[in-house]
Amino acid sequence: MKLGSKRGIAALALVVLLGIGATGCQSGSHHGGSAAAEPVELPPLSEITPLEDPTAYEGPTTALVGGPSIPPLAEEPEQQLPATVTSHDNSGDTEVTVTDNSRIVPLSLSGSIGELVYAFGLADRIVGRDISTSFPGSDDIPVVTKDGHSIDAEGVLALNPSLIITDGSIGPTDVVLQLREAGIPVVTVDRAVDAESSFATAQQVADALGVGAAAPDLIDSLGQAIADKEAEVQRLLPADESKLPRVAFLYVRGTAGVFYLFGEGSGIDSLIRSVGAVDVAAEIGWVGEKPMTEEALIAMNPDIIIVMTKGLESAGGVDGLLQAQPSIALTEAGQHRRIIDVDDSVLFAGGTRIPDVIDGLARAIYAPDSL
């Protein structure tokens, strides 16, 4: 996936331009709305009891997403530096030579780049991080982003990094250019939003770190973890296929009455497939992320609507959302108050978080009372 490709770029534009912050917190309440909490140990999917009919359940749920559950490589991979790699910048592809990976600053809105560095066994070389990066031991690493998605150039420069890796989801662009002009190698990799793009991003991050040969094993592990999680989810699905919930993801912000439906290529499409639900956007051939009309949403009539936690908060919670968006209130999801919110910073994280997001969504959809 190139930064300018169709897959995921519109979602990125919405996240950045419409001002979704990244908190990096776990969502801790299952009654709708957001409450930051410590990560909760949940029983495996194999031990929870699913709803007989998930389309009939009433009430909002906050999905709990843990992880990253992909462990780092058992042994530090052999490094080959200097490494010349292609940086996929907004202005076009450029060649960047990396000679030193001893002081790394990974930057992304979702934290996925930092978590990939951790997965490759080089976490001890991370000297600064974005606020969403979360792995064992990361709390002690200085945060170099402001307001969740804005790079603090002075903070980065003060850390004397030897390498910056970003997926372009954090800016401003002129700050990134400033860091490059200061002589720091800056490598822009593709943004991971689903399995396919995550595999490509993992290889690019490994190449930038000088450990490209280690990427295939990690990619295999991630692919297997996703497949295993999808297999676990299968036992939660209702025996009667007519009771499979019809799901839509809506981007909502405030009470302006405008909302976006996310469809093919947004990343949410692959997640809905992974949890075995019916994607109402796919039913109508919806591609990308576009404003949704009230009439169309009513006609689609989803059983469940997924939203970002901060978007739901900005609308005044479930009550505020249903009052501000009468069309949502007229759907099965609205009538049952079946709104699932997910932490903004992890829903589209991609990378090593994919199995964890699948797990969190599956629990919220099929066994909300287990949370």
Side-chain angles (χ1 to χ4, degrees), residues 124-172:
D124 59 341
R125 303 181 182 215
I126 298 177
V127 295
R129 64 181 176 95
D130 54 72
I131 198 169
S132 297
T133 292
S134 177
F135 54 78
S138 62
D139 288 347
D140 296 330
I141 301 173
V143 173
V144 294
T145 52
K146 300 178 293 186
D147 303 322
H149 54 82
S150 178
I151 301 170
D152 178 3
E154 292 183 358
V156 174
L157 291 171
L159 296 172
N160 191 30
S162 61
L163 172 63
I164 296 172
I165 307 177
T166 178
D167 64 1
S169 60
I170 295 182

Side-chain angles (χ1 to χ4, degrees), residues 34-54:
S34 173
E38 292 298 318
V40 178
E41 289 293 332
L42 297 172
L45 293 183
S46 60
E47 296 180 6
I48 64 176
T49 302
L51 299 169
E52 182 177 340
D53 182 2

Side-chain angles (χ1 to χ4, degrees), residues 50-59 236-238 240-247 277-278 301-304 331-338 364-368:
L51 299 169
E52 182 177 340
D53 182 2
T55 67
Y57 184 84
E58 298 187 11
L236 303 179
L237 306 186
D240 184 350
E241 289 190 4
S242 69
K243 295 179 180 179
L244 282 174
R246 303 177 69 256
V247 178
V278 178
N301 195 25
D303 298 304
I304 296 173
T331 65
E332 288 291 325
Q335 291 172 15
H336 289 164
R337 297 170 58 81
R338 193 76 157 99
I365 291 172
Y366 299 112

Side-chain angles (χ1 to χ4, degrees), residues 281-317:
E283 285 185 331
I284 62 172
W286 198 267
V287 177
E289 306 81 13
K290 296 174 288 188
M292 188 67 183
T293 66
E294 295 184 349
E295 294 79 10
L297 181 63
I298 294 171
M300 292 165 58
N301 195 25
D303 298 304
I304 296 173
I305 291 174
I306 299 173
V307 297
M308 291 180 176
T309 300
K310 286 188 177 294
L312 184 61
E313 289 176 346
S314 73

